[in-house]
Amino acid sequence: SSFPTWHGDGEREREECVCSARGRGVDMKRIFGVRKEKPPPPSLDDATNNINARGDNVDSRIAKLDAQLAKYKAQISKMRPGASQDAVKRRALVILKQKRMYEGQREQLYQQSFNLENAAFAAQNIKDNITQVQAMKAAHKDFKKQFKAKELDIDYIDNMQDDMMDMMEMTNEINESLGRTYAVPDEIDEADLMDELDALELELGDEALEEGNEGEPSYLQEPDLPSAPTGQGADEFGVPEEQREEGQAEPVAANQG
């Protein structure tokens, strides 16, 4: 068995077929034209910016008409009633109609811009919701992975807490054992306490009698303090005025005698 192969005239025929197909493709492109790629649709931001630009243009026109109306108003106020004043009023009326027309267009543009902004807000809200769901999905996956750790096993945690409580109790027992006193009575009742206090009182009383200070021991005695001032004035040397007057009166009495 053998497979057919291209040799000689067969290769030339193949090349001619390819060339003829290319030629037909070129002819078809010339007749029907080349398919052009569609441009991407405008975004909501592009549409909003376009509407706002149109609104700014209308606002500038309204401002110019307001300036013309102010000019005509000044002219009318300075003119006397008559044909000239009526002509100015007619021109002002035309300007006012144009202004009303532009104001109506501006209101429509305001509404369109408002609708586009609401649509953009809703679209952005949807994107934010998708992002939030994706973040929560990733966090959920991480949580599931982390909760598989041995450290977060509830049985392991309970056992660890029980062990901690046991060790704390053992630590307290060890501290109590190490804090025991030696050669000290463990229990002292109220009768022993009262006897000890009575003996201490007698001992302090004897010490007071020996010191001769009305039964008060020396370590409880208050030191002698100077007498309180009587409110009398004193001179620059600290001598009370009454004493100084008595001292001055004695030499005078002696001279009279």
Side-chain angles (χ1 to χ4, degrees), residues 69-119:
L69 287 175
K71 181 179 178 181
Y72 288 143
K73 181 180 179 180
Q75 292 179 1
I76 292 171
S77 63
K78 295 178 182 179
M79 297 174 66
R80 295 179 180 180
S84 300
Q85 190 183 52
D86 293 338
V88 175
K89 288 182 179 179
R90 286 193 297 270
R91 290 195 295 270
L93 183 60
V94 174
I95 298 300
L96 182 60
K97 290 180 180 180
Q98 293 179 2
K99 178 183 176 182
R100 293 288 185 267
M101 180 187 67
Y102 287 130
E103 287 178 348
Q105 294 178 1
R106 190 66 183 95
E107 291 298 327
Q108 293 179 359
L109 293 174
Y110 276 141
Q111 187 62 38
Q112 292 177 9
S113 178
F114 178 74
N115 294 335
L116 289 173
E117 289 177 356
N118 283 337

Side-chain angles (χ1 to χ4, degrees), residues 196-206:
E196 186 71 20
L197 293 177
D198 292 339
L200 181 62
E201 184 178 2
L202 292 174
E203 183 178 353
L204 294 177
D206 295 339

Side-chain angles (χ1 to χ4, degrees), residues 15-253:
E15 292 178 358
E16 291 176 357
C17 291
V18 173
C19 293
S20 62
R22 291 179 180 175
R24 287 195 299 269
V26 172
D27 294 336
M28 295 294 290
K29 290 181 180 179
R30 290 177 181 176
I31 296 173
F32 297 101
V34 181
R35 183 179 179 181
K36 296 181 180 179
E37 296 182 359
K38 293 182 180 181
S43 63
L44 290 174
D45 292 335
D46 296 337
T48 302
N49 294 332
N50 187 17
I51 294 296
N52 291 333
R54 291 175 58 190
D56 294 339
N57 188 13
V58 174
D59 285 337
S60 63
R61 293 183 181 181
I62 293 174
K64 291 179 181 179
L65 294 177
D66 287 336
Q68 293 180 8
L69 287 175
K71 181 179 178 181
Y72 288 143
K73 181 180 179 180
Q75 292 179 1
I76 292 171
S77 63
K78 295 178 182 179
M79 297 174 66
R80 295 179 180 180
S84 300
Q85 190 183 52
D86 293 338
V88 175
K89 288 182 179 179
R90 286 193 297 270
R91 290 195 295 270
L93 183 60
V94 174
I95 298 300
L96 182 60
K97 290 180 180 180
Q98 293 179 2
K99 178 183 176 182
R100 293 288 185 267
M101 180 187 67
Y102 287 130
E103 287 178 348
Q105 294 178 1
R106 190 66 183 95
E107 291 298 327
Q108 293 179 359
L109 293 174
Y110 276 141
Q111 187 62 38
Q112 292 177 9
S113 178
F114 178 74
N115 294 335
L116 289 173
E117 289 177 356
N118 283 337
F121 176 79
Q124 185 63 38
N125 193 21
I126 292 174
K127 293 180 180 178
D128 293 340
N129 291 336
I130 293 174
T131 303
Q132 182 179 357
V133 172
Q134 291 175 350
M136 293 179 66
K137 183 178 179 181
H140 178 259
K141 184 177 180 181
D142 293 338
F143 285 161
K144 290 181 66 177
K145 182 178 180 181
Q146 292 175 2
F147 271 108
K148 293 180 180 179
K150 180 181 178 181
E151 289 77 9
L152 296 180
D153 186 5
I154 188 64
D155 295 333
Y156 173 78
I157 295 174
D158 290 338
N159 295 330
M160 181 181 65
Q161 291 292 90
D162 294 339
D163 292 340
M164 291 293 294
M165 292 179 63
D166 294 339
M167 288 187 289
M168 291 297 295
E169 292 178 357
M170 292 177 61
T171 302
N172 292 332
E173 293 177 358
I174 293 172
N175 291 334
E176 291 178 359
S177 178
L178 294 176
R180 288 185 301 177
T181 57
Y182 303 98
V184 176
D186 292 334
E187 296 181 359
I188 299 177
D189 57 5
E190 185 177 356
D192 295 337
L193 176 62
M194 297 304 298
D195 294 340
E196 186 71 20
L197 293 177
D198 292 339
L200 181 62
E201 184 178 2
L202 292 174
E203 183 178 353
L204 294 177
D206 295 339
E207 183 180 354
L209 290 176
E210 292 177 358
E211 295 179 357
N213 192 18
E214 298 180 358
E216 185 177 9
S218 60
Y219 60 86
L220 295 178
Q221 295 180 10
E222 295 182 357
D224 295 334
L225 299 175
S227 59
T230 59
Q232 298 178 355
D235 59 5
E236 60 182 352
F237 298 103
V239 180
E241 294 182 356
E242 183 178 357
Q243 183 178 356
R244 184 182 62 184
E245 291 177 357
E246 291 178 357
Q248 292 177 356
E250 290 179 357
V252 173

Side-chain angles (χ1 to χ4, degrees), residues 1-7:
S1 61
S2 60
F3 295 95
T5 56
W6 294 91
H7 297 286

